[in-house]
Amino acid sequence: MTDKPTSETFNWDEAPVNNGPIAPEDMCKASQAFDQWFACLTVGKQLSNYYRYGEKRGCGKHWSKLKLCMGLKLRSGESRKEILREYREKDEAERNSLPNVLDVWTRRTEPLDGSPASSMSTDSHANAQF
């Protein structure tokens, strides 16, 4: 006879508790971080960056994320969530501090003088067939 637990011998109070699936914001996949780091180092990505920006791309951000994900494997659940939250806040603040399209372009409220849109009146524009 085997020593498999049966419904009579199994103690449900001592069973490990699974609180459901891990939320995506609480995860850090080391394999994904490694893939991103390795892709950054490839010749194609480096040539593309050199062509666009005139300089070699630094992959330190991807390396830091890989180290973070590997280090999180050794942490407890609450500590892991806190470290990940801090990392994401720092990353978001860094991204928001960089220039973006809103810094370059301003939205026009009226059409440019001499453009076809400025020569059309609002009545003729409403009746135009496209």
Side-chain angles (χ1 to χ4, degrees):
M1 186 165 195
T2 62
D3 291 333
K4 289 184 180 179
T6 63
S7 59
E8 294 87 30
T9 61
F10 188 76
N11 187 350
W12 289 100
D13 295 329
E14 296 175 5
V17 176
N18 183 1
N19 294 331
I22 299 172
E25 62 271 4
D26 296 335
M27 293 175 51
C28 187
K29 296 182 180 179
S31 61
Q32 186 180 31
F34 178 80
D35 289 344
Q36 290 171 349
W37 173 69
F38 190 76
C40 179
L41 295 173
T42 60
V43 175
K45 289 282 187 178
Q46 292 296 330
L47 284 176
S48 176
N49 200 69
Y50 189 77
Y51 176 77
R52 289 179 184 161
Y53 307 109
E55 61 188 15
K56 179 181 171 281
R57 182 178 185 180
C59 299
K61 179 180 173 182
H62 298 292
W63 177 249
S64 296
K65 185 175 180 183
L66 177 60
K67 289 192 312 184
L68 172 80
C69 291
M70 294 299 289
L72 286 178
K73 301 287 183 188
L74 305 173
R75 304 282 182 165
S76 68
E78 289 303 316
S79 173
R80 181 181 304 150
K81 287 179 184 179
E82 182 64 24
I83 292 170
L84 253 170
R85 185 186 59 75
E86 288 174 6
Y87 173 79
R88 288 208 171 95
E89 286 176 358
K90 179 181 155 195
D91 188 48
E92 187 175 338
E94 183 180 316
R95 272 188 286 130
N96 289 339
S97 70
L98 296 173
N100 62 33
V101 71
L102 298 175
D103 297 334
V104 177
W105 300 100
T106 56
R107 186 177 180 103
R108 288 192 181 130
T109 56
E110 297 180 16
L112 186 63
D113 290 338
S115 69
S118 66
S119 62
M120 293 177 65
S121 69
T122 55
D123 296 333
S124 63
H125 183 61
N127 295 329
Q129 293 183 351
F130 295 98

